Amino acid sequence: MRLLLLLPLLLGVTAAAPVAAPRRIVSLNLCADQYLLALADRAQIVALTQFATDPQMSAAAAQARGLRATRGSAEDVLALRPDLVLASPWQDPLVTTHLAARHIPVVALPPAADRAAIVAQVQQVAAAVGHPARGAALIAAMDRALATVPRTAGRGRTAAYYQRRGFLTGTGTLVDDLMRRVGLRNLATRLGKPALAHVGLEEMALARPDYLIVETDAERVADRGTEMLHHPLLERIPRLRLPQAWTVCGGPAYVKAAVSLARQLRAQPR
């Protein structure tokens, strides 16, 4: 028995000490805000971005209320004494340089363009904040919800995600992935447009998509940018509506957008 107890020492093997979960997490990334709110303890979150409580930008705005916001400057971040920072790959180099000099870990999250990227980021953030089981549970819940979304809801019809001032969302984007998930074809693919392109009213009318996907807030004419979405040239094209906050970032809101699109498509006349 004594030999068995001594064997690890004789072999030079030591048990790895568990890594402590971070206790002071700062987010400098709008999309990371939403992952944190879903996966971390509230007490772990020291600050989120200034957009975290904006319902037009964040799908988790309600959950973010009451938490501190940071402007994201190096001085602001360092004053918060973080032991983990979630950022974007394009973060201000001055900030990341100061964090690196103090050996503060940084997790950089690029925009997620499809479900696979969202799953990878959920796993990454869940591990970083010390709650990998929560990440697995969130992924499982998302997959259960997505399993209810029929892949044929759009019946292969063409849709254009048309934004204020005439911007069309193209391929390789989260919106494009959502369209394909519910059985729609992206007009941008047919027109050979990049990820984001300006398409005038005449070009859009001549393209004759089966649906326009518009942001919910664009249904109210607030300026000339939203006014063009109500031009007579477009009035006969059926509309599908999504809150902007559901498509700005990947994450749990991706599921809400997919479920909503499928529901709206089922309600459309055949």
Side-chain angles (χ1 to χ4, degrees):
M1 178 63 73
R2 290 182 63 190
L3 181 60
L4 291 175
L5 292 173
L6 290 171
L7 189 57
L9 297 177
L10 295 172
L11 295 176
V13 177
T14 58
V19 178
R23 301 176 64 182
R24 299 186 63 80
I25 307 173
V26 172
S27 171
L28 305 178
N29 180 328
L30 174 64
C31 301
D33 291 345
Q34 297 169 59
Y35 286 126
L36 272 184
L37 290 164
L39 298 167
D41 292 338
R42 195 171 181 87
Q44 290 178 281
I45 304 172
V46 176
L48 302 172
T49 71
Q50 59 186 323
F51 304 108
T53 56
D54 184 345
Q56 292 189 353
M57 296 295 292
S58 173
Q63 297 96 300
R65 291 190 193 118
L67 290 170
R68 181 182 301 182
T70 174
R71 293 175 297 174
S73 69
E75 294 79 6
D76 279 355
V77 176
L78 292 175
L80 295 169
R81 297 180 291 108
D83 54 7
L84 176 66
V85 173
L86 302 188
S88 79
W90 307 282
Q91 196 66 49
D92 181 352
L94 182 62
V95 175
T96 53
T97 298
H98 278 287
L99 293 172
R102 289 161 177 77
H103 307 289
I104 299 172
V106 177
V107 175
L109 298 175
D114 54 32
R115 176 201 164 275
I118 294 170
V119 167
Q121 290 187 350
V122 168
Q123 293 170 332
Q124 183 181 13
V125 174
V129 303
H131 301 295
R134 291 182 191 174
L138 177 58
I139 292 167
M142 290 172 61
D143 286 345
R144 284 194 299 271
L146 288 175
T148 68
V149 176
R151 292 275 190 171
T152 57
R155 304 190 301 280
R157 294 187 175 180
T158 300
Y161 191 90
Y162 204 40
Q163 302 172 65
R164 62 190 309 276
R165 299 190 182 278
F167 285 98
L168 177 71
T169 301
T171 57
T173 62
L174 190 68
V175 166
D176 183 64
D177 186 72
L178 278 168
M179 288 189 197
R180 286 185 281 110
R181 178 166 290 279
V182 298
L184 290 171
R185 299 173 61 190
N186 193 340
L187 176 67
T189 303
R190 195 179 82 198
L191 298 181
K193 301 294 185 181
L196 186 65
H198 186 268
V199 176
L201 286 169
E202 294 80 4
E203 184 178 5
M204 180 60 69
L206 288 172
R208 300 181 62 184
D210 297 299
Y211 302 108
L212 289 181
I213 303 177
V214 298
E215 294 165 358
T216 307
D217 290 338
E219 289 297 274
R220 178 177 59 87
V221 177
D223 51 29
R224 294 184 66 181
T226 51
E227 184 180 23
M228 71 172 294
L229 297 175
H230 298 269
H231 194 279
L233 284 173
L234 305 178
E235 64 183 3
R236 293 189 179 183
I237 305 175
R239 298 188 173 208
L240 309 172
R241 298 167 179 84
L242 289 176
Q244 177 184 238
W246 290 2
T247 60
V248 169
C249 292
Y254 173 88
V255 176
K256 294 181 180 180
V259 170
S260 178
L261 278 179
R263 177 182 54 77
Q264 293 179 66
L265 287 165
R266 285 196 296 267
Q268 293 291 323
R270 291 182 177 271

